[in-house]
């Protein structure tokens, strides 16, 4: 495919659209999973709490290629989820990004919840607040940390290469538009092809997205 067609707006737009759709969906699902876990671990005292916290912290640094391999094995024809036929689809990429982003969101949110002063919870209980009331007050106090965790998860998801390449296959349709090609995998492909202009355009888009996320995180941290 010549560079002229690769550089067409439809090609670039489809890649950006797939990337944002996959990453935003993954973050939404990860948040719905992660926040309840963070609240349960943050509020409750139970046997094995340290082990769960250690697992969460380990997951924050889990190698992406290993995640991609495990997800691919689960979704392959011989895997437990093979009947769903999700290999090399955006759905497989969403699952992979969820596995990567969920520990990040959970870990940062848990840290924010546990950092809320015990006096806040004691005061809420002192005025007759229920456990739900205390949880909502704690969430209000930890909201910036929770949002930071969500944004950090998005930053990891949108910049992911290894796992989405393994489970998504970096596939484009016959007209050149993306099926499972994301910004990061397209940069890898275009660089190998020697199409550095296209790679630089996509790199600039990714950089803007990451800087935007970091800017939001810094602004929240300054409050």
């Amino acid at each position: 495919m010549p560079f002229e067609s690769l550089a067409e707006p439809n090609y670039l737009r489809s890649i950006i659209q797939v990337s944002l759709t996959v990453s935003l969906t993954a973050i939404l699902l990860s948040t719905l999973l992660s926040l309840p876990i963070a609240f349960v671990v943050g509020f409750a005292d139970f046997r094995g709490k340290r082990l769960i916290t250690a697992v969460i912290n380990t997951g924050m640094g889990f190698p992406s290629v290993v995640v991609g391999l495990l997800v691919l094995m689960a979704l392959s024809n011989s895997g437990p989820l093979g009947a769903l036929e999700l290999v090399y689809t955006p759905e497989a990429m969403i699952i992979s990004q969820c596995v990567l982003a969920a520990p990040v969101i959970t870990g940062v949110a848990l840290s924010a919840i546990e950092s809320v002063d015990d006096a806040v919870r004691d005061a809420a209980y002192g005025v007759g607040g229920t456990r739900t009331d205390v949880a909502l007050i704690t969430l209000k106090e930890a909201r910036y940390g929770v949002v930071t965790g969500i944004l950090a998860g998005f930053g990891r998801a949108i910049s992911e290469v290894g796992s989405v390449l393994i489970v998504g296959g970096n596939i484009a349709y016959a007209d050149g538009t993306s099926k499972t090609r994301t910004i990061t995998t397209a940069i890898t492909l275009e660089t190998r092809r020697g199409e550095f202009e296209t790679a630089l355009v996509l790199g600039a888009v990714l950089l803007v997205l990451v800087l935007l996320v970091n800017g939001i995180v810094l602004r929240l941290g300054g409050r």
Side-chain angles (χ1 to χ4, degrees):
M1 186 180 299
F3 170 72
E4 288 75 11
S5 63
L6 290 176
E8 286 182 356
N10 287 339
Y11 173 76
L12 300 176
R13 190 182 301 116
S14 68
I15 291 172
I16 296 169
Q17 181 178 349
V18 169
S19 295
L20 290 176
T21 300
V22 168
S23 295
L24 290 174
T25 303
I27 291 307
L28 175 61
L29 296 176
S30 297
T31 300
L32 294 176
L33 172 67
S34 299
L35 294 189
I37 294 174
F39 267 96
V40 170
V41 176
F43 272 101
D45 289 322
F46 54 90
R47 189 173 184 179
K49 180 175 179 177
R50 282 190 174 184
L51 177 61
I52 293 177
T53 302
V55 170
I56 293 171
N57 292 334
T58 301
M60 292 177 69
F62 210 63
S64 62
V65 290
V66 176
V67 170
L69 178 60
L70 294 176
V71 172
L72 181 64
M73 292 174 63
L75 297 179
S76 66
N77 292 334
S78 58
L81 302 177
L84 300 176
E85 298 182 351
L86 296 179
V87 176
Y88 303 139
T89 65
E91 289 77 13
M93 297 159 64
I94 290 171
I95 294 172
S96 178
Q97 290 194 4
C98 280
V99 175
L100 287 169
V104 176
I105 299 173
T106 305
V108 178
L110 176 60
S111 178
I113 292 168
E114 291 182 335
S115 67
V116 174
D117 197 327
D118 289 339
V120 175
R121 304 183 190 186
D122 294 339
Y125 281 123
V127 297
T130 64
R131 192 173 182 86
T132 302
D133 295 328
V134 175
L136 292 175
I137 291 173
T138 303
L139 176 61
K140 182 179 179 181
E141 292 295 317
R143 63 189 182 277
Y144 296 125
V146 171
V147 174
T148 298
I150 295 172
L151 293 174
F154 175 75
R156 180 165 195 192
I158 195 69
S159 60
E160 174 53 33
V161 181
S163 67
V164 295
L165 186 61
I166 292 173
V167 302
N170 199 25
I171 301 171
Y173 292 108
D175 63 357
T177 57
S178 172
K179 177 185 178 183
T180 61
R181 186 167 297 171
T182 65
I183 295 174
T184 52
T185 59
I187 290 173
T188 302
L189 176 64
E190 302 306 336
T191 301
R192 289 176 178 174
R193 286 175 168 174
E195 302 291 357
F196 298 110
E197 295 87 347
T198 306
L200 285 172
V201 171
L202 291 168
V205 172
L206 181 61
L207 183 61
V208 168
L209 291 172
V210 172
L211 288 175
L212 179 62
V213 170
N214 287 338
I216 296 173
V217 171
L218 289 174
R219 182 168 180 80
L220 289 174
R223 293 190 179 188

